[in-house]
Amino acid sequence: MNRRQFVGGLAVAARAAPGVPLINSARLRTHLEELSIFGRPEGGTFADGVSRVAYSDADVAGRAYVRKLMEAAGLKTRIDAAGNMYGRRAGADDSLPPVLFGSHIDSVPNGGNFDGDVGSLGAIEVAQSLQEAGVTTRRPLEVVVWQNEEGYAFNNGLAGSRAAAGHLDPGELDAVWNGMKKSDAIRKIGGAPERIAEARRARGSFACYVELHIEQGGTLEKAGIDIGVVEGIVAIDRWDVEVRGFANHAGTTPMLERQDALVAASHLVVAVNDIVRREPGRQVGTVGQLNVSPNVPNIVPGVVRMVVELRDLSAKKIATLGEQVRARAREIGAQTKTQIEMRQAAHHDAALATAEVQQSIEAACAKLGLRHQRLPSGAGHDAQMMALLGPMGMIFVPSVAGISHSPRELTSWQDCARGAQVLMHTVLDWAAR
């Protein structure tokens, strides 16, 4: 079976336990397919992925579509000052802190249709299925769609959830990306940056936060496991690097006299890989972006801007690795007659999932007869910001071949439905407490 046949296959209905509404797997699939239109390549199909970068026109249109889904599910919607979308469902005791659950819908350029989308639309599907079944929970429920989780825009992710946790960086709203100021970008999606402090949530303002997400790795699929119960989310350090040499004629500048910024940057790319690999553990290091100037075939590169990213569950470990990369950068600069400046652009602490939420997810899997295992998340998620404010847990569903941030990103419709049903059970468990 090829990929397009796989994507186009019939969804297998999720199972439900007695007394718990069954989510509508066909409707969830339809919503995921319809959302994929916003940011789809011209003339493309669902299988061609999506570019729905935060604050883009595609993001604005996708958010409008999702808000309509929230309203159709009976949720009372609002957009907070940071641009996050909320949909509230009243509980029998509406004075109690709600169960908060959701994800994001922004993507990286040339991304897939499951990252963030499964969790956001799965959350809305839970709310709609509860509405149709006439279920009233003890606690109120809040579905949330966070803005700019990916961080491609402005090179700083978890923007909406960081605002909710009170962790915006000083001067962050004045940052400029592609000629757009961040405060104006927030206005574009319906936020009010001049009142950004109002988006901050207090500790204890929710009973727990639960996020359904694709794994974005291949562990679950390889092991034949239905559901991943997340143990924790890695810490992330991101560094902006500028390598300054001297742009000169490629034909007349002798090799020994060159100050080639790209040569220096290339040495640094290799150094990041070597430094991270020689340390035992599960840490990872990546240079995924380089901008070369003047980027002309017959001119020695004068400036290279690049981004170094380090991840591990131990913030101390990636801080140490970062210092080793900086030390090597100084050596490379001296050897290549260039100047290399590294500035930390972002830091996200590791976040451990709450034991009680993990146990609730595992209990849901047991009731549904689903195989599950605990595992860490190598990707960052909005859940790590919510862990600063209250109990947090994450539900992973398998990613085919472990591919993500790619048009080839894929999770079966059956696994999407299973994940949404586990989310339903987990939400109802906490809403009854």
Side-chain angles (χ1 to χ4, degrees):
M1 179 179 289
N2 65 33
R3 182 179 184 278
R4 290 176 186 270
Q5 289 171 327
F6 183 85
V7 171
L10 292 174
V12 178
R15 297 171 57 188
V20 176
L22 178 68
I23 64 102
N24 187 325
S25 57
R27 180 171 58 205
L28 175 58
R29 171 182 172 173
T30 296
H31 289 166
L32 284 164
E33 290 177 329
E34 290 177 349
L35 179 59
S36 76
I37 293 170
F38 306 104
R40 178 182 295 179
E42 186 175 354
T45 68
F46 183 89
D48 295 311
V50 67
S51 293
R52 193 164 52 243
V53 173
Y55 316 120
S56 65
D57 292 344
D59 185 39
V60 172
R63 286 164 56 89
Y65 169 77
V66 169
R67 190 170 188 178
K68 288 180 181 178
L69 294 184
M70 284 182 167
E71 291 167 350
L75 299 171
K76 183 178 180 181
T77 65
R78 67 181 177 91
I79 298 178
D80 73 5
N84 299 311
M85 289 195 297
Y86 287 94
R88 185 178 175 92
R89 189 172 191 270
D93 186 348
D94 221 34
S95 66
L96 292 173
V99 177
L100 182 66
F101 56 112
S103 193
H104 66 98
I105 66 163
D106 67 292
S107 81
V108 296
N110 300 311
N113 288 307
F114 296 86
D115 178 2
D117 298 357
V118 170
S120 295
L121 300 189
I124 294 172
E125 177 56 39
V126 167
Q128 188 160 3
S129 296
L130 290 173
Q131 179 195 40
E132 292 170 350
V135 174
T136 299
T137 54
R138 176 172 179 260
R139 291 181 181 274
L141 307 179
E142 277 191 355
V143 172
V144 61
V145 177
W146 305 107
Q147 63 100 341
N148 195 12
E149 189 267 2
E150 295 292 358
Y152 178 79
F154 298 96
N155 192 29
N156 200 351
L158 311 181
S161 56
R162 284 191 297 108
H167 274 246
L168 292 178
D169 298 329
E172 183 171 335
L173 297 186
D174 295 324
V176 176
W177 176 77
N178 279 2
M180 178 169 51
K181 196 173 180 180
K182 192 162 191 178
S183 57
D184 293 331
I186 291 173
R187 286 192 187 92
K188 182 177 179 179
I189 60 172
E194 67 279 2
R195 297 187 285 106
I196 197 76
E198 295 177 12
R200 184 170 184 174
R201 298 189 68 121
R203 176 174 285 275
S205 65
F206 52 83
C208 77
Y209 174 74
V210 187
E211 184 167 356
L212 168 64
H213 208 280
I214 61 172
E215 182 195 348
Q216 299 181 274
T219 301
L220 296 176
E221 188 196 35
K222 289 176 183 176
I225 300 296
D226 302 312
I227 298 292
V229 183
V230 176
E231 297 174 306
I233 302 167
V234 297
I236 304 175
D237 279 350
R238 187 175 288 180
W239 298 82
D240 285 340
V241 183
E242 184 172 275
V243 184
R244 293 187 296 275
F246 188 81
N248 209 343
H249 196 293
T252 61
T253 308
M255 297 302 290
L256 292 177
E257 295 180 14
R258 295 187 178 206
Q259 296 170 259
D260 191 322
L262 184 54
V263 168
S266 300
H267 283 298
L268 186 56
V269 171
V270 174
V272 170
N273 184 71
D274 290 344
I275 288 169
V276 173
R277 279 177 176 267
R278 73 189 181 203
E279 182 80 14
R282 298 182 59 136
Q283 71 280 349
V284 295
T286 307
V287 178
Q289 184 181 58
L290 292 96
N291 293 299
V292 182
S293 178
N295 203 28
V296 176
N298 60 351
I299 299 179
V300 176
V303 178
V304 174
R305 294 180 178 87
M306 55 194 279
V307 178
V308 174
E309 189 181 82
L310 303 170
R311 302 186 184 213
D312 191 72
L313 272 175
S314 168
K316 181 179 180 181
K317 177 181 279 190
I318 60 173
T320 299
L321 293 173
E323 284 303 315
Q324 293 175 12
V325 172
R326 293 180 72 186
R328 182 70 184 110
R330 289 190 291 269
E331 295 174 355
I332 292 169
Q335 293 164 359
T336 58
K337 304 174 187 177
T338 61
Q339 293 181 315
I340 303 178
E341 180 181 334
M342 292 184 62
R343 180 184 66 84
Q344 189 161 7
H347 170 76
H348 303 302
D349 287 325
L352 298 180
T354 306
E356 290 81 3
V357 184
Q358 291 177 295
Q359 292 161 6
S360 181
I361 296 168
E362 289 172 330
C365 291
K367 290 177 182 176
L368 295 168
L370 299 175
R371 292 161 295 180
H372 64 276
Q373 77 172 58
R374 294 194 178 193
L375 75 171
S377 172
H381 298 286
D382 295 302
Q384 66 198 77
M385 290 293 107
M386 293 303 96
L388 300 174
L389 305 179
M392 176 277 285
M394 289 193 73
I395 301 162
F396 273 177
V397 288
S399 294
V400 175
I403 298 172
S404 185
H405 283 188
S406 161
R408 295 183 62 82
E409 175 181 277
L410 186 63
T411 292
S412 75
W413 299 120
Q414 179 180 12
D415 284 331
C416 291
R418 285 170 170 167
Q421 197 64 47
V422 172
L423 178 65
M424 168 76 82
H425 279 253
T426 307
V427 166
L428 287 179
D429 178 26
W430 280 82
R433 300 187 182 197

